[in-house]
Amino acid sequence: MQSPRLVMLIIETYIFGLKRNSDAVDPASPDYGAPFTLAQAQQHLTASAIGSRITWHRAVPEEFLKASKQKWDVVILLHCIWYFPSSKTLSSILAALHDKVGRVCIAEYALHATEKTAVPHVLAALARGTLESLKGESGENIRSPMSQRAITQIAEEASWRVASQSKIVPEAGLLDGTWEVGSVASDGFIEEVKTHVADERLSLVLQSARDATKAAVADLGAAKVQTMDVWVADFAPAV
Amino acid sequence: MQSPRLVMLIIETYIFGLKRNSDAVDPASPDYGAPFTLAQAQQHLTASAIGSRITWHRAVPEEFLKASKQKWDVVILLHCIWYFPSSKTLSSILAALHDKVGRVCIAEYALHATEKTAVPHVLAALARGTLESLKGESGENIRSPMSQRAITQIAEEASWRVASQSKIVPEAGLLDGTWEVGSVASDGFIEEVKTHVADERLSLVLQSARDATKAAVADLGAAKVQTMDVWVADFAPAV
């Protein structure tokens, strides 16, 4: 058996602790991301106590898997699914992981707000997801906002089953809610609707989704927008 | 001056008190509505203490206005705007009301939930509104879910200005939230998405909007879904 390694398919770079060597795969350009670029985030992690255990790969996950004969203990899909251009990418990665790994861990936004302060993030994610689905190609953070149900269904179709799952209410330091809400509330969102959505009724409902997001923010008063719940699930091969 | 009368453009029939004679206009079929039909609701009101003050008209509001030389003190658009096939209907009614009335009162859902128990209604309204915007023709309650901002903007373009406005948190007896959420959570919604939405990405985000609605309901535990806030506004002719 080869030395156990841990693959992470990362686009958003949160790493909580690695006990073993790992391959980290991300297709994005090194200059992607704000306020820090992907390259800066990777350098930050490489300089950390766990840095020596991470090998970075700039690659499309499916191609990386196809090109490698490596096997791993665990694959983690870490807040990457919503970036996929469609649900087919998830199906295809999960199918490719059989025989390469015994366990798949997924962390993705739950489309649910335990805290009222995270309701604007849920509304913004759906507004953004709807707009992006109407573009030919999207470069946004939310391209395929799959729910827990959708991800589980696709995993089951690819012969994986949920072994365990839970929800996490993120700490205040995670700013994704603030960023996503800010993007939807900005004038730029209206400009994008004008550019990409010719249909008057679809345009109306997208603008209403934006207005609902803004109303939910206004309702918080002095309280800050928080990031919605995260769903974490551990998948095993279906028997 | 003719005897003051009060026009209501009603599709959903809530009447809180009439001090004067009134014309009530609704284009819907008498058998429309559940659990009570429109005809039953109208009979109920006609049998009430204010019944003698209401004259019912089955008519499209714009045509009714065109055909009548009547003037009124007040026109109330009472939870009817979301039923309009597009925002153009609102523009056209508001334009037709100049010279016929000195005041327009509007009550419509605010796309906002003061109470957490009404968050599912906001999510369901946006999910339903998005689905209906993708149909050629809709018979649903939510066809043009215009926000307070959108309605105000259209009114201003038609030379009306907001004189006063406020928000109401509905009492528990108003079941629209329960009905709308039930409709979006039902299997029928998925069937409709399959029938009307060929695009895989739009279908994904609509199903996620439904899942977000269901997650918001599940979060309430034993508490019942409530109806979202109502926005009420009083418009005067722009100077």
Side-chain angles (χ1 to χ4, degrees), chain B residues 14 35 109 169-179 224-227:
Chain B
Y14 309 116
Y109 286 120
V169 178
E171 291 178 15
L174 186 60
L175 295 175
D176 285 42
T178 307
W179 292 334
K224 282 188 185 166
V225 169
Q226 301 297 334
T227 298

Side-chain angles (χ1 to χ4, degrees), chain A residues 17-45:
Chain A
L18 296 176
K19 292 191 180 155
R20 293 174 180 165
N21 290 333
S22 64
D23 294 300
V25 184
D26 193 313
S29 163
D31 62 359
Y32 178 85
F36 297 103
T37 64
L38 185 67
Q40 286 173 319
Q42 291 176 348
Q43 282 156 18
H44 180 76
L45 289 163

